[in-house]
Amino acid sequence: MDPRRDPVQNLIEELKKLPGIGSKTAQRLTFFLIRQPRETAQRLADALIRLKDDLVLCSLCHNIAGSDPCRFCSDPNRDASTICVVEEPFNIVSIEASGYHGRYHVLHGAIKPLEGIGPEELKVRSLLERLRDDEVKEIIIATNATSDGEATALYLNKLIKPLGVRVTRIAQGIPVGSDLEFADQVTISRAFSGRREM
């Protein structure tokens, strides 16, 4: 039998393409799904299709969301005087778990000169446009603790500080070289409470 037509092997191969999923995990997930009722597989398939069909980019913060503006930008109870700047949409999940209750801005990457990624490829211009509103008092830079994240933070500080807006950087409770998505709630909470002026 052609392995490309074998549904078990086909699912294992597709799951292996996901980040952090190796052969063994892909096999375990596949055989777990085989043992589930058809309705479970259908709900998973529907959720994946909806993920691709129903998501939009928030026109204000550039978060990936189910509506525009996203739930963070449209929530009147969030602190509109602070904007937390992150590299990727998934960073918001970690920061939300820390108890932060302000607004966000997603850059969709970091400055990486060796890869040809400069500020023009990021959502920097729209961040500066958001600062025209006198309501914003503080920008919290929560880029990753990598050389690219640090370079991006320094660049943003240089742009924003002359505008009279307070610029802080989350404290380095996040290990250098790691991404926010892997940090625990306590570490992120401490990093926020220990943020410093840039």
Side-chain angles (χ1 to χ4, degrees):
M1 177 185 243
D2 184 353
R4 289 173 294 176
R5 302 188 70 128
D6 176 6
V8 172
Q9 190 59 39
N10 185 46
L11 182 56
I12 290 170
E13 293 303 318
E14 291 304 315
L15 289 171
K16 281 175 25 184
K17 294 175 184 175
L18 298 173
I21 304 290
S23 294
K24 294 287 184 191
T25 303
Q27 289 172 16
R28 279 194 300 273
L29 290 171
T30 298
F31 286 102
F32 169 81
L33 289 169
I34 288 171
R35 291 187 299 272
Q36 299 305 305
R38 187 178 196 293
E39 295 78 30
T40 302
Q42 187 64 55
R43 284 194 305 272
L44 178 61
D46 290 346
L48 287 170
I49 297 300
R50 284 193 58 225
L51 181 71
K52 296 304 287 180
D53 290 349
D54 296 347
L55 289 182
V56 296
L57 209 58
C58 177
S59 59
L60 297 172
C61 74
H62 306 291
N63 184 26
I64 295 172
S67 63
D68 183 21
C70 72
R71 66 185 177 104
F72 302 115
C73 291
S74 61
D75 183 350
N77 297 317
R78 295 191 77 92
D79 180 4
S81 70
T82 62
I83 296 177
C84 180
V85 179
V86 297
E87 290 181 25
E88 299 293 347
F90 56 76
N91 297 141
I92 291 175
V93 176
S94 302
I95 292 172
E96 275 297 290
S98 76
Y100 173 74
H101 202 66
R103 303 284 169 108
Y104 292 98
H105 190 86
V106 183
L107 296 172
H108 287 275
I111 296 172
K112 297 180 182 184
L114 297 176
E115 296 178 27
I117 300 172
E120 307 78 32
E121 283 73 43
L122 306 178
K123 305 293 185 187
V124 174
R125 180 175 292 143
S126 58
L127 174 61
L128 297 176
E129 289 170 8
R130 292 178 73 184
L131 300 182
R132 290 183 186 158
D133 181 357
D134 289 338
E135 194 173 22
V136 178
K137 305 295 182 211
E138 180 183 8
I139 294 293
I140 303 167
I141 300 177
T143 53
N144 292 319
T146 61
S147 57
D148 296 332
E150 285 299 317
T152 304
L154 291 172
Y155 176 80
L156 292 174
N157 181 51
K158 184 179 172 185
L159 282 181
I160 297 167
K161 201 129 191 175
L163 302 176
V165 176
R166 181 178 182 221
V167 180
T168 58
R169 175 94 166 102
I170 59 172
Q172 297 303 314
I174 312 290
V176 174
S178 71
D179 289 340
L180 284 174
E181 83 179 287
F182 302 114
D184 63 290
Q185 293 176 359
V186 174
T187 301
I188 291 179
S189 292
R190 287 181 183 161
F192 259 87
S193 62
R195 66 185 185 267
R196 57 182 165 73
E197 290 281 346
M198 289 191 69

